[in-house]
Structures are given as C-alpha cells and as structure tokens.
Amino acid sequence: MRAAENVAGWWRGSVPARSPGLRRITLSTLLSGTADQFALIALIWLVFEITGSPSAMGLLVLCNRLPAVISAPLCGPRLDRGDPVRLVLYSYVIRAVCLVAFPVLFVAGLLSLPGILVLATVMGAAYPLADVGGRMLIPRVVDESDLPSANGLMSMGDQFPYLIGPALGGVFVALAGPSALLLSAGMCLLAMLLMRGLRADAPATYGEGEAASAAPAGWFGFRPLLSDPAVRALVLLTFVYFLAYGPLEPALPLYSRDVLAAGAAGYGLLWSAIGAGALVGLVTVPFLARRRPGVVNAFGAILWGVLLFPLVLVDSLPPAMLILFVAGFVWAPYVATEVSVVQRRVPRSQHGAVFGARKALLVIASPSGAAFGGLLLEGMPATSVIVLSSVTCVLAGVACLALPSVRAVLPPPARQQTSDA
C-alpha cells in the first residue's frame, strides 16, 4: 500500500501529470517515430524483393532521408508563422496516405521501384513537420524549469521506436507483405488523433532574457542558431557528435562478424544494448538538469568517446554489449539537455525555424559519418574506425568544454507553478 501511495505521489508531482499537453506530444512522437522506423525497414525489404539490388536499397534510404535537408529549413519558419498543431497533423495525414498507397498499388499490380521511391521521398519531406513541430511545442505546454525533464520524456519517444520499429517492420512485412504498411499508417492516424485539440498557446517563461525578442528568424533559422555563442557551440558539438557516431553504423556489423564472431544476431544485440542503455539513462535527466548544460554535454561527448575505446580490447559479445549499454546510458540525456538550451535561449517566435535548421544539419551529419566510415572500412579494420570515432568525440567534447560561452550557460530556474496546457 505504501509503495502504491509513493508511486501515486510521484506521478502527481511529475511533469506529465502536470501537463496533459506533454503527454499528447510525447505519445504522438513515439507513434510517429515507430511508424517511420517500421515503414523504412518494411520498404527496404520490399525493394530487396522487387529488385534484389543493394544499391536500390541504398537509394531508397537516400530518398527517404535526404529531403529533410531541404524541407526542414523550409517547414520551420512556416511552423512559426502558422498553427504548429495543424501543420503537425498535416505531416501525419500525408505520411498515412503514402503508406496506404503502397498496398493499394501492390494489389493493383502497379507497385514498382520508381513509385516506391517517389512515395518514400514525399514521406521523408513531410516528416520534419512532425519532428520539428514537436520540439517547438514543448515550451508552449510546460514551464521553463520543466524543459529538461520534458525533453527527456520526448527523447524516450525518440529512442523507443528504434527498439521496436525495425523488429515490427521486419516481422509484419514477412507475414503480410506490403499490407503490413497499413499498420504503420494506422500509427500515423492514431498520432493525429492524439494531437487534435492540443492547446499549445500557454505563455512560456524564460530565465535568462534571451527570449524577449519576437523578431522572425533569418537565413531559414540558421542566423539565430549561429548568433548565440552557446547555442552555436552546442549545436556544433552535436553535429560533430553525430558525424563521429555515423561510422559506427557500418563498423558494428564488421566488428560483430570479424572480432566477436557473433554474426547478424550479435549485431542486432549490440544495437539493442545501446537502445536499452539510452532508455535507462533517461532517469539521469532531472538530476543533470540542475547542472550547467554546456558542461554536461561536453563531458557526455567525452565519456561516450572514452567508452567506445574498450570495444577494441574485447573479443566476445557479452562484454561488448555491456560497454555499449553503458555508452547508451551516457548518451541518453544529451539531446534533452541540448534542446532545452536552444528552447530557452532562442525566442519562442523563432523555434520552428531554428529547429528546422538544426534538423537539416543533423540529417547531414550522421549519414555523412556513415558514408565516410564505409569508405574507411575499405582499407581499415572495424576496430580502427571505432577508435577514430572515439577520439573524434573526445576531442570535440574537450574543445567545447574549453569555450567560456558554453561553461557560462546556467541551468533553468526552480519550477514555478503554471497552468496546464
């Protein structure tokens, strides 16, 4: 009974309990992300069955991911000027229609590689409306002091789909073929229902005064992203962090095969270890929110790099999984911490444009790192590529930590009572 009372007390004081709007945004983000991962894995398999070509599969991923480089900076200012909730709903509807089109075209005998690529491109271009929209809505439904915890919860909606989306997509496409994409479309529609009626016009409070201006963002959001020294340094660190992470994607399959002798199953378990660690690590967000966010993220990048290095010293799966679990745990608070700083230091009227610009940078970073890692793997062993990734993260964290503007960023003030959104 006492345990139940303690849980009830914790829930009444938690950020989700105080903000029904945050619950809606987080659940819709989780569903949207799961639908995206589910669909990508299913479509990769369908393209493989239709063409048998690895290059066609790579082209599919490119068509699905690359449009965000252009659409995110274009969508961001529109989110600032219009109704962000309605625009997020448009993203869900567009993607649901595209996902329904796959089985319809298949039944009609019209499903071909060009059609798949066109629909994948449209889905990829629409996705930033939901992703950027969710980020800019957070400060409209929670108090400033709750931003780190709210973004930590949002990060769960970001991370969890990577654990379940690919597995669901692989299983269901094997059972039902293109019809499996109807489940992904259903997730988008359910996310749309959760977001309908969301009130996201509650006044936001800020503690450092940087958000007083209501001027529109310039350069499609890149000007405010680069004009604040602390935001510029943290976003640059994130760019380098994601760029350095990218080589792990092509390196881990070879590492699993050549070093661990664990094959495809071991490769999947390595990524599951990272994902599980990232989910558990979200419990550190409220604790770290009381520390200086720039210092937290710089040390996080350093620790991630340090934790990657022991992978080259082990040759069996269990210790490698343990190392990556701890690395995922260290990684977990990173995005929530960085996003909270951007939300606090950039005027709310510019959030859409700024997060659109940020999204474009990160869409470039990780795939570029993966492509560079793939080139390196042509002449280097996987362990050498992992060491290079490790050293790059450490150096980026040290460089960021040396900047006074990063060390000077203060944590948010103590929570104030605000009305629910």
Side-chain angles (χ1 to χ4, degrees), residues 21-386:
L22 177 62
R23 295 200 299 270
R24 285 172 175 255
I25 294 169
T26 302
L27 288 173
S28 65
T29 299
L30 190 153
L31 284 166
S32 174
T34 302
D36 187 59
Q37 291 299 311
F38 179 108
L40 182 60
I41 295 300
L43 288 173
I44 287 173
W45 184 256
L46 287 176
V47 167
F48 180 69
E49 284 196 327
I50 291 173
T51 68
S53 169
S55 61
M57 292 187 286
L59 184 59
L60 168 69
V61 175
L62 187 66
C63 288
N64 185 246
R65 297 306 189 202
L66 194 60
V69 176
I70 299 173
S71 67
L74 293 177
C75 291
R78 185 70 184 90
L79 284 161
D80 287 326
R81 294 192 300 268
D83 179 356
V85 175
R86 185 177 72 249
L87 293 172
V88 169
L89 295 178
Y90 288 162
S91 171
Y92 294 147
V93 172
I94 291 170
R95 290 155 61 204
V97 169
C98 289
L99 288 165
V100 170
F102 287 107
V104 170
L105 291 173
F106 177 77
V107 171
L110 300 175
L111 188 62
S112 62
L113 180 61
I116 292 174
L117 295 180
V118 169
L119 290 171
T121 300
V122 174
M123 290 167 56
Y127 184 77
L129 274 174
D131 184 68
V132 175
R135 294 294 182 198
M136 69 171 292
L137 286 170
I138 292 294
R140 303 188 180 200
V141 300
V142 301
D143 184 77
E144 180 190 4
S145 61
D146 288 329
L147 283 176
S149 295
N151 285 307
L153 190 65
M154 185 81 164
S155 294
M156 187 176 294
D158 292 337
Q159 295 288 343
F160 194 65
Y162 287 92
L163 288 179
I164 63 173
L168 288 175
V171 170
F172 278 88
V173 77
L175 294 174
S179 298
L181 291 164
L182 293 174
L183 180 58
S184 189
M187 294 179 197
C188 287
L189 293 176
L190 184 54
M192 181 192 71
L193 293 175
L194 284 168
M195 289 291 285
R196 285 191 63 187
L198 174 70
R199 291 182 55 206
D201 54 358
T205 57
Y206 297 86
E208 300 179 31
E210 292 85 350
S213 168
W219 304 347
F220 296 99
F222 286 98
R223 186 170 65 187
L225 192 70
L226 300 175
S227 61
D228 184 296
V231 171
R232 181 172 64 242
L234 284 176
V235 171
L236 179 60
L237 173 63
T238 301
F239 181 85
V240 176
Y241 201 172
F242 279 50
L243 190 69
Y245 151 83
L248 284 181
E249 293 190 344
L252 280 185
L254 296 180
Y255 174 75
S256 177
R257 185 193 68 187
D258 300 339
V259 178
L260 305 181
Y267 169 60
L269 288 173
L270 291 176
W271 281 116
S272 295
I274 295 175
L279 281 177
V280 176
L282 292 174
V283 302
T284 65
V285 170
F287 170 76
L288 293 175
R290 301 194 294 269
R291 274 64 184 170
R292 291 181 181 255
V295 175
V296 167
N297 271 11
F299 271 114
I302 293 169
L303 284 175
W304 168 270
V306 169
L307 285 166
L308 288 184
F309 183 77
L311 288 175
V312 307
L313 305 176
V314 302
D315 58 3
S316 62
L317 183 61
M321 289 180 61
L322 179 60
I323 291 168
L324 290 177
F325 176 88
V326 177
F329 184 91
V330 168
W331 153 258
Y334 184 92
V335 171
T337 303
E338 182 229 344
V339 166
S340 298
V341 172
V342 177
Q343 289 166 337
R344 292 173 56 222
R345 296 183 68 96
V346 173
R348 198 176 73 174
S349 63
Q350 301 176 354
H351 279 179
V354 167
F355 280 109
R358 175 184 176 274
K359 177 71 174 179
L361 288 174
L362 299 189
V363 166
I364 295 171
S366 184
S368 298
F372 181 62
L375 292 175
L376 291 177
L377 288 165
E378 294 290 337
M380 297 172 61
T383 49
S384 297
V385 173
I386 291 172

